[in-house]
Amino acid sequence: MDDPIADAGPGGYHSHPTALARLAADHTLDGAERVRAAETLAFLDGHREAGAALLTRLADDTTLFNFLRVSAAEALARVAGHREAGAARLTHFADDTTGEWPKPRPRRMPKRRATTMGDGNGYARVGAAAALTAVDGHREAGAALLTRFAEDASLADRYRVSAAEALAGVSEHHENGAAPLTRFAENTALDGHDRVSAAKALAGLDTHRETGATLLTQLADDAAVDRKGRVWAATALAALDGHREAGTARLVRLAETPTAKPSKRLWRSKLWRLEAQNLTFYEDGSRVDAASALARVDDFHDVGAALLSRLACDPTLHDNWWHLRAAEALVELDGHRETGAALVFRLVRDTTLNSTQRLDAARKLIGVDGCQTLGATLLTGLTHDTTLTDRERTSAAGALGAADGYREAGAELLTGLAHDTTADGYLRRCAAEELTRVDGYREAGAELLTAFADDTTLSEFNRVCAAEELTRVDGYREAGAALLIRLAKDRTLSSSNRVSAARQLGRMDGYRREAVHLLHGLCSAVDSEYVRWVQSYMHEVKKALEEEENRGGQTGEGHVR
């Protein structure tokens, strides 16, 4: 997703107060972008109060995710003259004495975990308390909240660990945080991930580094901890001064030890079988993770690379996905790129591998220096591979067209697919869509989409979709909308596809009034059992129209048809 704040450039959104205010107030944008726009505005000379007002509104907006409201309050507390307003909201979010935030629903967890309640607000509450410790005059209040959270058994274990870690980072409270971190790391009732997280945080404290290292060593050796947690513990241990050898030795052992295949005698039900197979799958992945982590440790690059090479061909791995992941990790290592690329090339050509995984691997390979030729060969092959879905085949050609030096080759493949009258209409439409995204071929792709929308040899569904896609192409929004209107009015089309065209029109700013008019007329064209559906679509568009008109009134801009 494009970043309208960071990418605006000189004189763009990031420096234009009016545009920033519009971004912060735009409910269609991601909440994080809105908060960042308001924060940027608040620190622009002469716009502090306007930015603070927007941050206040966002912090109080119950439609935003809780952690975004916390971010807004934290930013507000840093605005001159608004420290107390921000601190009050952070305190409210952390304490939540009003019950404003929804209570977590009880849910059963796997028996190997101690957590029995999930708290969707826990992350935000701990974050609010941690942010409060950074506000002048509120450090102790924030530390008190963190202390309470670390001891609160009603919170999910991971949030209790996070609270203790945050507390250990507050001046004069290092020991208060270290004590619960030690208890969490030693508590065998906790999930392995939470125990490792606590031990790693403890090892990050100067006065408790050796205690943390000892706990990480124990966790890396503990067979009761899942292999992913053990790999994480060994990786953290290898990163500690004086413990690199101990950590790397454990990473080697974890990478080399095959995953035990579960006995079929334990498959008492389909659910048990699936759980056992999933466990095997992820434990296999942890072997690859261990080798990758080892390859990132100084003086152990070659050892890790050798393990990755073996794992890429290891028959004891139960899924080819991990063979591919091992090969991809090898490609990222200097001095081993060619070996890894050759392995990726061989694996991607294996049609037994999941098609999405094959496509993703080929995409990555063409972006690696020195591997473009292999990547291009793979993408070309995947474009012609009928074992892939139509969308995947055109995506392969599109990825080729997006690669440096292969734009014409990718465009030629897409053009060929779009013009192939023997091919399925969906494949041809997808090819035209991809072509509009290739530099220098937008117009050619748009012309194809326009032709498809008018092509009566294609299915009505594909014609409507072609018009819809045209509205998303820069410079062709109006042309696409005109096609949607024409299709919605076309009595030779089925009523369902006419309704679909009108509904798509109703999702476009500036055309919702026309869409309401079209849907109203279509109520009499559809069978009686579908009238309620059309009316619901009409209600949906009317509601969007009202919001659009309100936005236009606030900004003094916009034209609604």
Side-chain angles (χ1 to χ4, degrees):
M1 183 176 183
D2 292 337
D3 187 336
I5 301 172
D7 297 340
Y13 284 162
H14 75 289
S15 59
H16 197 293
T18 303
L20 284 169
R22 189 184 305 137
L23 282 171
D26 190 345
H27 290 268
T28 65
L29 283 180
D30 177 73
E33 289 181 2
R34 296 176 63 196
V35 171
R36 195 145 57 94
E39 181 180 356
T40 304
L41 183 65
F43 288 95
L44 280 181
D45 289 343
H47 298 277
R48 182 176 64 198
E49 294 307 315
L54 285 166
L55 285 171
T56 301
R57 192 182 309 162
L58 289 166
D60 295 339
D61 187 348
T62 56
T63 66
L64 286 181
F65 287 120
N66 296 333
F67 72 91
L68 292 173
R69 297 177 64 190
V70 169
S71 295
E74 181 182 7
L76 183 64
R78 288 188 278 106
V79 178
H82 296 272
R83 182 177 64 195
E84 294 306 315
R89 283 167 173 78
L90 288 172
T91 303
H92 166 67
F93 292 153
D95 212 9
D96 191 27
T97 55
T98 65
E100 175 187 326
W101 289 4
K103 298 297 181 185
R105 290 189 300 174
R107 57 190 178 94
R108 294 184 65 183
M109 300 290 285
K111 290 183 178 179
R112 65 179 180 274
R113 298 182 181 178
T115 304
T116 56
M117 292 282 288
D119 184 358
N121 301 326
Y123 175 77
R125 295 179 68 195
V126 171
L132 194 61
T133 62
V135 180
D136 288 345
H138 295 272
R139 185 179 65 187
E140 293 307 313
L145 284 165
L146 289 172
T147 301
R148 198 179 85 201
F149 291 160
E151 302 297 335
D152 188 349
S154 69
L155 278 179
D157 295 331
R158 62 184 178 278
Y159 301 137
R160 297 175 66 191
V161 172
S162 296
E165 182 178 0
L167 183 62
V170 178
S171 298
E172 300 177 8
H173 289 275
H174 301 314
E175 295 304 317
N176 294 337
L181 284 173
T182 304
R183 291 200 307 273
F184 292 143
E186 293 174 341
N187 188 350
T188 56
L190 264 63
D191 177 71
H193 182 275
D194 296 327
R195 295 178 66 192
V196 174
S197 182
K200 186 172 181 289
L202 196 63
L205 301 174
D206 290 340
T207 54
H208 294 272
R209 190 165 67 91
E210 292 307 314
T211 302
T214 300
L215 287 165
L216 286 170
T217 302
Q218 293 171 359
L219 290 165
D221 292 337
D222 190 347
V225 175
D226 64 272
R227 194 188 295 234
K228 190 174 184 67
R230 294 174 67 188
V231 169
W232 190 28
T235 303
L237 185 64
L240 292 176
D241 289 342
H243 297 274
R244 186 175 61 179
E245 298 296 329
T248 53
R250 284 161 175 81
L251 285 172
V252 170
R253 186 164 67 246
L254 289 164
E256 289 181 333
T257 306
T259 305
K261 192 170 183 177
S263 172
K264 290 186 178 181
R265 290 179 300 166
L266 299 177
W267 292 1
R268 301 181 185 179
S269 68
K270 183 178 180 180
L271 184 61
W272 280 41
R273 181 172 74 251
L274 289 174
E275 186 172 345
Q277 289 171 338
N278 283 337
L279 180 61
T280 300
F281 177 82
Y282 287 111
E283 294 227 335
D284 278 350
S286 296
R287 295 179 63 191
V288 176
D289 291 342
S292 298
L294 188 66
R296 291 191 295 270
V297 179
D298 289 343
D299 300 326
F300 286 87
H301 303 309
D302 292 337
V303 178
L307 283 168
L308 286 170
S309 296
R310 282 162 47 192
L311 288 169
C313 307
D314 191 339
T316 64
L317 290 180
H318 300 95
D319 194 294
N320 284 340
W321 166 237
W322 297 119
H323 293 144
L324 185 56
R325 283 290 304 277
E328 288 178 335
L330 199 59
V331 170
E332 296 173 4
L333 298 177
D334 290 339
H336 300 275
R337 187 170 296 161
E338 290 185 4
T339 303
L343 287 167
V344 169
F345 186 81
R346 178 177 63 79
L347 288 163
V348 170
R349 297 182 72 183
D350 181 0
T351 56
T352 63
L353 193 66
N354 179 279
S355 58
T356 302
Q357 295 165 1
R358 295 169 66 199
L359 177 57
D360 287 345
R363 275 191 182 126
K364 292 176 186 175
L365 195 61
I366 200 170
V368 178
D369 288 343
C371 301
Q372 289 93 339
T373 301
L374 287 178
T377 302
L378 286 173
L379 288 170
T380 302
L382 291 172
T383 300
H384 296 296
D385 189 342
T386 55
T387 65
L388 272 66
T389 66
D390 292 342
R391 178 66 71 179
E392 287 168 342
R393 291 176 63 189
T394 55
S395 292
L400 183 64
D404 290 341
Y406 292 93
R407 183 175 59 188
E408 288 75 16
E412 184 179 347
L413 285 172
L414 289 168
T415 303
L417 290 173
H419 282 291
D420 185 358
T421 56
T422 65
D424 179 76
Y426 178 65
L427 174 66
R428 298 176 65 193
R429 175 169 64 80
C430 289
E433 289 176 16
E434 283 290 344
L435 192 61
T436 63
R437 302 182 187 110
V438 179
D439 286 346
Y441 290 88
R442 183 176 62 196
E443 291 77 9
E447 287 177 8
L448 284 166
L449 287 172
T450 302
F452 290 163
D454 286 328
D455 190 345
T456 57
T457 66
L458 294 180
S459 71
E460 296 176 357
F461 171 79
N462 279 317
R463 292 176 64 190
V464 172
C465 288
E468 177 194 352
E469 185 60 32
L470 188 63
T471 65
R472 300 193 183 101
V473 180
D474 287 345
Y476 291 87
R477 185 173 181 273
E478 302 293 328
L483 284 169
L484 285 173
I485 293 170
R486 189 191 311 164
L487 290 167
K489 292 179 177 179
D490 190 343
R491 295 179 182 276
T492 65
L493 267 62
S494 67
S495 55
S496 61
N497 283 298
R498 293 175 65 191
V499 169
S500 180
R503 189 185 185 195
Q504 294 301 335
L505 188 72
R507 291 172 175 163
M508 298 175 61
D509 282 355
Y511 289 93
R512 292 193 174 95
R513 197 178 299 282
E514 176 70 18
V516 170
H517 175 72
L518 289 167
L519 287 168
H520 184 269
L522 285 165
C523 281
S524 59
V526 299
D527 293 336
S528 57
E529 62 264 32
Y530 297 119
V531 170
R532 271 176 42 187
W533 287 5
V534 179
Q535 289 175 338
S536 70
Y537 297 156
M538 195 158 48
H539 175 73
E540 171 189 294
V541 176
K542 283 180 177 178
K543 184 177 179 181
L545 174 63
E546 184 180 343
E547 292 176 356
E548 180 187 348
E549 290 174 337
N550 288 338
R551 289 198 304 272
Q554 290 172 1
T555 60
E557 300 175 1
H559 173 65
V560 181
R561 302 187 185 202

